[in-house]
Amino acid sequence: MEAFLFAEYVGIASASLSGFLFGIRRGCDWLGVFLAAFLTALGGGLIRDMIVGRPAYSFTHYIPVCIVLAVMILAFLLKFHQKERSNLDKKFIFIMTDAVDVVSFSIVGAIVSLEFGLNIFGVIMVAFFNGVGGGIMRDVLLNEVPWFLKTGLYGTISMGVGAIYYLMHLAGLTSIYWIFVLFIFGVTWRLVAYYRNWNLPQIHYKD
C-alpha cells in the first residue's frame, strides 16, 4: 500500500502540472485549465478502475482531487500561467512532469491489476491505460493529436514499465525501494527517448 500511494500521489501531482501547462498552452479559461489538469491527473485512473471493476479511487478518496487543486493553486501563485506559451510542450518542465506521471501511473496500473488477479497481458494493458489514458482524454478535450502517438516511445515505455513490474512481482521485488528503482529507470528511459528522438519503426503503405 505504501508503494501504491507513493506512485499514485507523485503521478497525480506531476500530471496536474502537466495538464495545467497544456491547458495554458491551448489558451483555455480557468475551467478548461482545471479540466485539462483533472483529466491528465485522474483520467487514467478512472479507466483503470472501470477495467478492474472497482469504485473510482479518485471519487472515494479526497486526496487525489485535493492534490490537483493544490497544484493548480501553486502553479497560479508561481505565475506559470504568465509564462511564454509557444513551444511549451518542448520545455523541460513539461517533458519532465509528463515523464514522471506516465511512469508513476503505469506502475500504479500494474500494482492494481495484480491485486485483481490479471495476467501479464492485463497488467501491461492496464499499466498502459493508467499511464496514458488521462493524456488521451485531455488531448481529445483540447482537440489535439494524442501526445503518446507523436513522441518518443511514450506508450511503449508505459507498457514496458508494466511488463517489468510484472516480472518484479514474480521475483518478489515489490518493496518501495524496488518501486523507486523502476521509477527512476522509467523516467530516465522516457527522457532519453524524447531527447534522442527514439521512435518505433513506421509502417509505410505502398501502392
Side-chain angles (χ1 to χ4, degrees), residues 51 109-110 113-114 117-129 158-160 162-163 166-167 170:
I51 292 174
S113 58
L114 283 167
L118 273 60
N119 63 22
I120 184 171
F121 304 111
V123 171
I124 291 173
M125 292 311 299
V126 171
F128 171 78
F129 283 117
S158 180
M159 290 183 174
Y166 181 84
L167 297 176
L170 293 180

Side-chain angles (χ1 to χ4, degrees), residues 136-176:
I136 293 173
M137 294 171 72
R138 173 201 66 202
D139 293 340
V140 170
L141 175 70
L142 299 180
N143 197 29
E144 291 269 354
V145 175
W147 178 249
F148 86 98
L149 293 176
K150 59 180 180 178
T151 181
L153 300 181
Y154 195 76
T156 305
I157 290 171
S158 180
M159 290 183 174
V161 167
I164 293 171
Y165 186 83
Y166 181 84
L167 297 176
M168 288 168 54
H169 172 76
L170 293 180
L173 304 176
T174 56
S175 68
I176 193 166

